[in-house]
C-alpha cells in the first residue's frame, strides 16, 4: 500500500515537473514581455530595470529554479497586464470556476450513472432507446453551440433564466465569493452547469450502460440470480459495484476535463472564472497568468488521478491483495 | 438485503394434484421433486425461430441423482436454465409445463419465481472461477444468500455461513469468511459455490458440469462432496456432465440428449451397459473403459445438426445405420426399450422397425 502510494506520488511530481518546464518555456517563446509592457518608446534603462525586477536577467536554469520554488508556494509573479500578483488574480476567480465545475460534475455524474443504469436495465424500452439516441446529439454537438442554444431557448425566447454572468454573490471568509446562496446566483448557474456537464453526462451514461450490460451477462451475476437474490440486490449491489470499477477512472479523468473545458463555457456565458481570465491572458500575452493557469490545470488532473487510483484500490480487493500497482 | 421468510414454502406445501398422469418408471410411488413435461424452448431470431429444446419430458424423484449426458450443444444447459428460469433472452419456454414438488412453476409471475431460486431449486455452474463476485468477500456472499431465504439476523447468518463452510470442507473457516474469491484455489472456490447453492437447503439442485473446469486431481473430491451433501440432505440432483465415468459412479438414472431432444432415459446400469437408442450405443461405444469388451473405439459418423437444420422425423436419422423412411417422416416419442426408454422406432411396441443387419447377421453399428 505504502509503496503503491509513494510510486504514484513520484509519478505525480514528475508530471508536474514536465508541465512546469512547458509553462516556464512560455516565458521565452511567447513574445518579449518587457517590450509588451513598456512599449516601443521606453528607454534602455527602463527596460533593464524591469528585466531585473522580473528576474529576466539571470541564467535560464536559475530562472527555472526560481520558477519552480515559487510555483511550489503558489507564487507566479506579477501579471504583465494588470501588474497585480497572479495568485491574487486566480484566487479571485477560482470560486466562480470551482462552483461551476463542481455543480456540473455532480450533475454529470449523478445523471450519467442514473441514466446509464436505467438504459442498461431497460434496454428494450422506448424511453431507453430515446435517451440513447438523444445522447448521440449530446456527444456530437460542440460545447459552445449547446451553450448558445440554451441561451437562445431559456434566456432569449422563454426569458426564464439569465443569459450571462454569475448573479449576486455573497462573500464567505476572506476570499471566497459564492453564488450558491442567492436566488439569482443559483439561477445563473443552471445554464452554464448544464452546458459544461452535458458532454461528460452522455459520456458517463454510455460508459455505465456498456459496462453494466457486460457485467449483467457474467457468470457471477447469473449465479447471484440462481442463489435467489432479488432483482434489486443483483442489479444495484452486485452488478453496479462491478460496473463502477472501470467507470471510476473515466469519471475521474472527465472531472479534470470539466475544469479545463470551463474555458469555453465561461466565455459563452461571460462567467467570471479562471477560464475567462486565461482567455484574456492569452489575448494580452500575459505569460505569468498563462503559466499559472497551466500549472493549476495540471495540478487538478494529477490530484484527481491520484484520488482515482486510491479509490480503485479501495473498491477492488484483488488490487489490495497484490500490494499495489494495476 | 432484508430477509424474506419464504412464503413460497406454504405455497409449495399446499400441493396441488399430481401434475400429469403417470410418472415415468423409476420414480414410481413417490411424487417427483421435479417434473418436466413436453418442454419446448424457442429462440426467436431474425431468420426464424430456433427450437433449442423440443418436447423434453422427465421426472426426478426426491433424493435422486439424474445424470444428463450428450454432446456439446445438445441442450443440457438449456434444460437446466429453463427449469430455473435463467434462459438468456430472447430464449423462452414456448410450450410445456414444469412442476416442482407437484406445484406448477413455469407460469408463476417473476416475483413469485425469484424466491424459489436458491430456496427450492439450487444451481451450480461449470466455472467456479467466474461464479463468485470478485468484489465481495465470500462471507458477504454467503450471508446475503442465507438472509435472502431464512429469517436470520446478520450474526446468526454469519454463524450459519461458518457451518456451511465447515460442511463443504473449507479448512479454518473463521479465518476465510472475510477472504475474497481470488484468495481461494479453483477447488476451494467450487466448494464455496456448493455452500452457496445449498445454503437454503433446496430440495433440488442443478449441477451443470460442476467439475469440468477444475483440475483433474480435485474433480473427484468435489464430486464426492456434492454426492455426500446431497445424500445427507436428501437433495435431488440434475447432474450435467460429459464424463460417463462420473455418471456411472454418481447417478441413479441417466438421460441422453441429442439436438434439443431427450432420446433415452433409464437406470444407469441399463443405459451404460445395455444402451437401446442407436445414438446412445454409439456414444457409449466411443467412450473408452465403459464397455471393456470393445476391441476398438467406435465413432458415430457425421455430427449433430445445428438448431437451424434439424432434420424432420428422428433428429438422428442422417447418422443412423438403421434409418428408414419412417424415421425421416415421423418423430419417435420415448418408448419402453428393455430396461430403459428410448425415442426410436426400433422400439415401437406396436410395429417395431426391423434393425438392419450385416451379411453375418449381426446388428449394424457405427464402425468407421
Ligand atoms: N443465446 C442463445 N441463442 C441461440 N441459441 C443458443 C443460445 N444459447 C445456446 N444456444 C443453442 O442451444 C443449443 C443448446 O445449448 P446448450 O444447452 O448450452 O448445450 P449443452 O448441451 O452443451 O449444454 C446449442 O445448439 C446452442 O447453440
Ligand atoms: S428412429 Fe430410426 S433413425 Fe432414429 S434412431 Fe431409431 S432407427 Fe435410427
Ligand atoms: Mg452446457
Amino acid at each position: 500500500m505504502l509503496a503503491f502510494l509513494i510510486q504514484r506520488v513520484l509519478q505525480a511530481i514528475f508530471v508536474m515537473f514536465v508541465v512546469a518546464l512547458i509553462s516556464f518555456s512560455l516565458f521565452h517563446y511567447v513574445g518579449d514581455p518587457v517590450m509588451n509592457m513598456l512599449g516601443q518608446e521606453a528607454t534602455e534603462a527602463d527596460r533593464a530595470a524591469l528585466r531585473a525586477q522580473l528576474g529576466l536577467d539571470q541564467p535560464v536554469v536559475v530562472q527555472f529554479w526560481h520558477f519552480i520554488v515559487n510555483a511550489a508556494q503558489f507564487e507566479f509573479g506579477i501579471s504583465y497586464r494588470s501588474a497585480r500578483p497572479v495568485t491574487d488574480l486566480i484566487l479571485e476567480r477560482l470560486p466562480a470556476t470551482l462552483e461551476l465545475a463542481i455543480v456540473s460534475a455532480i450533475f454529470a455524474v449523478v445523471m450519467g450513472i442514473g441514466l446509464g443504469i436505467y438504459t442498461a436495465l431497460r434496454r428494450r424500452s422506448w424511453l431507453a432507446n430515446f435517451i440513447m439516441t438523444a445522447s448521440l446529439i449530446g456527444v456530437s454537438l460542440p460545447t459552445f453551440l449547446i451553450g448558445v442554444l440554451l441561451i437562445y431557448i431559456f434566456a432569449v425566447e422563454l426569458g426564464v433564466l439569465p443569459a450571462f454572468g454569475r448573479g449576486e454573490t455573497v462573500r464567505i471568509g476572506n476570499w471566497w465569493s459564492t453564488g450558491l446562496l442567492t436566488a439569482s446566483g443559483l439561477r445563473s448557474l443552471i445554464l452554464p452547469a448544464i452546458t459544461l456537464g452535458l458532454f461528460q453526462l452522455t459520456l458517463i451514461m454510455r460508459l455505465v450502460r456498456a459496462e453494466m450490460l457486460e457485467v449483467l451477462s457474467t457468470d457471477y451475476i447469473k449465479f447471484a440470480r440462481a442463489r435467489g437474490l432479488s432483482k434489486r440486490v443483483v442489479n444495484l449491489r452486485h452488478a453496479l459495484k462491478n460496473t463502477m470499477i472501470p467507470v471510476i477512472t473515466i469519471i475521474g479523468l472527465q472531472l479534470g476535463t470539466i475544469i479545463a473545458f470551463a474555458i469555453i463555457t465561461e466565455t459563452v456565458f461571460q462567467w467570471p472564472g479562471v477560464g475567462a481570465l486565461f482567455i484574456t491572458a492569452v489575448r494580452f500575452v500575459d505569460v505569468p497568468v498563462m503559466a499559472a493557469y497551466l500549472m493549476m490545470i495540471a495540478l487538478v488532473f494529477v490530484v484527481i488521478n491520484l484520488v482515482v487510483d486510491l479509490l480503485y484500490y479501495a473498491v477492488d480487493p484483488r488490487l489490495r491483495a497484490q500490494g499495489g500497482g494495476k | 438485503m432484508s430477509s424474506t421468510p419464504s412464503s413460497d414454502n406454504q405455497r409449495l406445501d399446499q400441493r396441488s394434484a399430481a401434475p400429469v398422469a403417470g410418472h415415468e418408471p423409476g420414480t414410481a410411488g413417490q411424487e417427483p421433486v421435479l417434473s418436466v413435461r413436453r418442454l419446448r424452448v424457442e429462440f426467436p431470431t431474425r431468420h426464424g425461430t430456433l427450437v433449442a429444446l423440443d418436447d423434453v419430458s422427465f421426472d426426478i424423484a426426491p433424493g435422486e441423482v439424474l445424470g444428463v449426458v450428450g454432446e456439446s450443444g445438445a441442450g443440457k444447459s438449456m434444460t437446466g436454465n429453463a427449469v430455473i428460469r435463467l434462459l438468456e433472452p430472447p430464449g423462452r419456454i414456448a410450450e410445456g409445463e414444469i412442476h416442482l414438488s407437484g406445484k406448477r412453476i413455469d407460469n408463476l409471475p417473476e416475483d413469485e419465481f425469484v424466491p424459489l431460486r436458491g430456496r427450492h431449486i439450487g444451481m451450480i455452474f461449470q466455472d467456479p472461477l467466474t461464479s463468485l463476485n470478485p468484489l465481495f468477500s465470500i462471507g458477504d456472499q454467503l450471508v446475503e444468500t442465507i438472509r435472502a431465504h431464512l429469517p436470520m439476523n446478520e450474526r446468526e447468518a454469519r454463524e450459519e455461513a461458518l457451518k456451511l463452510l465447515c460442511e463443504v470442507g473449507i479448512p479454518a473457516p473463521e479465518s476465510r469468511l472475510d477472504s475474497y474469491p481470488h484468495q481461494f484455489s479453483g477447488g476451494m472456490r467450487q466448494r464455496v459455490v456448493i455452500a452457496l447453492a445449498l445454503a437454503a437447503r433446496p430440495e433440488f439442485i442443478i449441477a451443470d458440469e460442476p467439475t469440468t473446469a477444475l483440475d483433474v486431481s480435485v474433480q473427484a473430491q468435489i464430486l464426492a462432496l456434492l454426492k455426500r451433501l446431497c445424500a445427507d440432505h436428501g437433495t435431488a440432483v440434475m447432474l450435467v456432465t460429459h464424463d460417463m465415468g462420473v455418471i456411472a459412479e454418481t447417478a441413479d438414472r441417466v438421460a441422453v440428449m441429442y439436438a434439443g431432444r431427450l432420446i433415452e432415459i433409464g437406470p444407469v446400469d441399463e443405459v451404460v451397459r445395455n444402451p437401446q437408442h442407436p445414438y446412445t450405443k454409439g456414444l457409449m461405444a466411443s467412450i473408452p473403459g465403459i464397455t471393456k469388451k470393445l476391441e476398438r473405439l467406435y465413432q458415430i459418423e457425421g455430427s449433430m445438426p445445428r438448431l437451424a437444420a434439424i432434420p424432420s422425423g428422428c433428429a438422428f436419422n442422417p447418422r443412423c445405420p438403421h434409418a428408414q423412411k419412417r424415421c425421416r417422416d415421423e418423430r419417435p416419442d420415448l418408448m419402453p426399450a428393455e430396461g430403459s426408454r428410448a425415442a426410436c422406432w426400433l422400439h415401437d411396441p406396436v410395429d417395431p422397425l426391423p434393425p438392419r443387419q450385416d451379411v453375418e447377421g449381426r446388428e449394424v453399428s457405427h464402425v468407421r
Side-chain angles (χ1 to χ4, degrees):
Chain A
M1 173 71 200
L2 194 64
F4 170 76
L5 196 62
I6 291 173
Q7 180 201 345
R8 285 299 138 123
V9 170
L10 286 179
Q11 272 177 17
I13 291 175
F14 176 73
V15 170
M16 287 310 295
F17 179 81
V18 171
V19 174
L21 197 60
I22 294 170
S23 306
F24 176 72
S25 56
L26 283 179
F27 286 92
H28 294 268
Y29 294 106
V30 185
D32 181 353
V34 177
M35 257 343 185
N36 286 339
M37 287 170 89
L38 296 180
Q40 302 291 328
E41 312 304 316
T43 65
E44 192 54 46
D46 288 344
R47 286 194 198 135
L50 185 58
R51 234 175 255 285
Q53 191 197 333
L54 294 175
L56 296 178
D57 54 344
Q58 287 164 318
V60 177
V61 180
V62 175
Q63 285 185 44
F64 184 47
W65 173 247
H66 284 154
F67 177 77
I68 288 186
V69 169
N70 288 337
Q73 301 160 23
F74 299 103
E75 273 298 335
F76 292 94
I78 309 289
S79 159
Y80 293 168
R81 191 170 89 90
S82 65
R84 291 179 51 206
V86 173
T87 311
D88 287 359
L89 288 178
I90 287 192
L91 280 184
E92 239 166 51
R93 301 292 199 106
L94 201 56
T97 295
L98 282 183
E99 284 183 0
L100 175 61
I102 288 168
V103 170
S104 318
I106 292 172
F107 165 71
V109 168
V110 170
M111 295 287 291
I113 292 178
L115 289 177
I117 294 172
Y118 178 82
T119 49
L121 294 181
R122 294 280 155 80
R123 71 179 175 286
R124 280 169 225 282
S125 77
W126 70 267
L127 184 57
N129 283 320
F130 172 78
I131 294 171
M132 285 306 289
T133 313
S135 77
L136 269 183
I137 302 171
V139 176
S140 49
L141 280 189
T143 304
F144 78 89
L145 199 59
I146 292 174
V148 170
L149 276 177
L150 288 179
I151 290 176
Y152 179 74
I153 297 172
F154 292 98
V156 179
E157 285 295 319
L158 300 177
V160 287
L161 292 169
F164 62 89
R166 208 184 161 200
E168 251 181 278
T169 57
V170 178
R171 282 203 91 75
I172 299 177
N174 272 341
W175 57 275
W176 192 278
S177 73
T178 179
L180 298 177
L181 297 178
T182 66
S184 76
L186 286 174
R187 288 178 63 234
S188 304
L189 191 56
I190 295 176
L191 292 184
I194 291 177
T195 305
L196 184 53
L198 204 59
F199 179 79
Q200 334 291 330
L201 184 160
T202 48
L203 212 75
I204 292 171
M205 180 190 101
R206 294 183 145 257
L207 183 74
V208 168
R209 176 179 181 273
E211 287 298 334
M212 186 117 180
L213 284 179
E214 196 169 319
V215 169
L216 283 175
S217 69
T218 58
D219 287 352
Y220 55 81
I221 291 300
K222 198 172 171 197
F223 186 54
R225 292 201 181 108
R227 286 190 270 145
L229 303 185
S230 72
K231 215 175 193 155
R232 253 180 58 102
V233 174
V234 171
N235 290 341
L236 298 184
R237 184 170 138 92
H238 284 265
L240 189 57
K241 191 164 182 186
N242 292 276
T243 300
M244 289 321 286
I245 289 226
V247 171
I248 289 173
T249 325
I250 305 294
I251 286 183
L253 293 178
Q254 290 309 311
L255 293 187
T257 45
I258 277 191
I259 294 198
F261 270 122
I263 294 182
I264 298 167
T265 308
E266 287 182 6
T267 310
V268 172
F269 287 92
Q270 299 173 38
W271 190 262
V274 274
L277 180 71
F278 177 71
I279 293 291
T280 321
V282 169
R283 204 156 353 120
F284 291 92
V285 201
D286 194 348
V287 179
V289 174
M290 287 160 68
Y293 179 81
L294 280 185
M295 296 288 287
M296 184 191 87
I297 294 292
L299 185 66
V300 167
F301 270 91
V302 161
V303 168
I304 286 175
N305 252 324
L306 209 58
V307 172
V308 165
D309 278 339
L310 293 179
L311 263 185
Y312 227 87
Y313 206 77
V315 176
D316 195 338
R318 287 164 296 188
L319 284 181
R320 260 175 278 156
Q322 288 158 18
K326 66 168 178 210
Chain B
M1 270 273 315
S2 67
S3 59
T4 34
S6 33
S7 56
D8 42 283
N9 253 337
Q10 302 155 0
R11 205 173 47 244
L12 281 169
D13 290 342
Q14 301 160 356
R15 287 172 180 169
S16 53
V20 220
H23 300 144
E24 44 176 294
T27 64
Q30 282 167 313
E31 180 177 53
V33 63
L34 180 80
S35 178
V36 173
R37 282 294 168 274
R38 304 210 158 268
L39 181 66
R40 180 183 173 94
V41 167
E42 293 180 350
F43 279 80
T45 69
R46 249 171 282 152
H47 314 290
T49 301
L50 296 179
V51 181
L53 289 182
D54 195 0
D55 205 2
V56 170
S57 302
F58 63 94
D59 284 349
I60 300 182
E64 186 188 32
V65 178
L66 175 71
V68 180
V69 294
E71 289 169 63
S72 168
K76 307 180 297 291
S77 301
M78 200 63 77
T79 308
N81 291 348
V83 168
I84 199 166
R85 211 190 271 186
L86 287 175
L87 289 171
E88 279 165 43
R92 61 183 192 97
I93 296 178
E95 276 171 42
E97 297 182 7
I98 300 169
H99 297 257
L100 186 68
S101 306
K103 159 93 178 151
R104 185 164 176 191
I105 58 166
D106 59 284
N107 57 357
L108 286 179
E110 184 67 15
D111 59 326
E112 286 180 44
F113 193 94
V114 169
L116 298 184
R117 294 196 194 112
R119 180 70 187 86
H120 295 284
I121 311 173
M123 183 137 190
I124 299 169
F125 294 101
Q126 181 171 343
D127 193 350
L129 299 186
T130 56
S131 290
L132 298 170
N133 191 329
L135 301 189
F136 292 85
S137 72
I138 59 155
D140 278 351
Q141 300 189 52
L142 276 161
V143 165
E144 71 180 353
T145 310
I146 293 164
R147 295 194 66 195
H149 298 295
L150 308 171
M152 290 190 183
N153 62 29
E154 178 81 22
R155 200 179 43 78
E156 292 164 335
R158 268 183 82 91
E159 298 273 296
E160 181 67 22
L162 278 179
K163 266 189 244 160
L164 281 165
L165 288 182
C166 264
E167 212 177 0
V168 296
I170 303 271
E174 309 79 28
S175 63
R176 304 311 302 267
L177 209 50
D178 295 317
S179 305
Y180 288 86
H182 70 266
Q183 294 164 314
F184 291 77
S185 68
M188 284 295 153
R189 277 193 231 185
Q190 195 64 314
R191 285 172 194 265
V192 173
V193 169
I194 292 173
L196 281 163
L198 294 179
R201 303 266 181 265
E203 50 266 44
F204 167 59
I205 69 166
I206 301 160
D208 192 349
E209 310 201 22
T211 58
T212 309
L214 293 176
D215 216 61
V216 183
S217 57
V218 295
Q219 288 189 355
Q221 289 173 23
I222 296 293
L223 264 158
L225 171 73
L226 190 62
K227 193 174 163 183
R228 176 172 63 74
L229 288 178
C230 291
D232 287 355
H233 302 154
T235 314
V237 187
M238 178 177 146
L239 178 64
V240 176
T241 173
H242 278 320
D243 190 338
M244 284 308 298
V246 165
I247 294 278
E249 208 169 286
T250 317
D252 301 310
R253 284 187 310 139
V254 57
V256 184
M257 296 195 68
Y258 184 81
R261 302 168 183 193
L262 208 159
I263 52 121
E264 180 159 3
I265 183 166
V268 168
D269 288 349
E270 295 291 336
V271 177
V272 171
R273 272 171 249 300
N274 191 15
Q276 294 302 311
H277 193 286
Y279 174 71
T280 320
K281 285 183 185 170
L283 190 68
M284 296 304 160
S286 68
I287 298 159
I290 293 278
T291 36
K292 302 250 164 42
K293 49 185 182 277
L294 279 172
E295 60 272 19
R296 60 189 295 182
L297 285 184
Y298 291 102
Q299 207 172 8
I300 311 170
E301 266 184 65
S303 58
M304 197 172 67
R306 287 175 297 112
L307 292 186
I310 294 179
S312 66
C314 172
F316 187 55
N317 81 63
R319 302 169 75 188
C320 180
H322 306 292
Q324 286 160 48
K325 182 169 186 307
R326 188 179 183 190
C327 305
R328 290 182 280 272
D329 295 344
E330 288 176 69
R331 181 180 159 182
D333 257 340
L334 284 174
M335 296 172 254
E338 304 272 324
S340 67
R341 294 187 307 143
C344 171
W345 290 126
L346 296 175
H347 301 283
D348 186 355
V350 183
D351 178 20
L353 204 66
R356 292 252 215 84
Q357 305 198 326
D358 64 15
V359 276
E360 289 159 44
R362 284 183 315 203
E363 195 179 308
V364 212
S365 56
H366 323 270
V367 190
R368 209 180 1 194

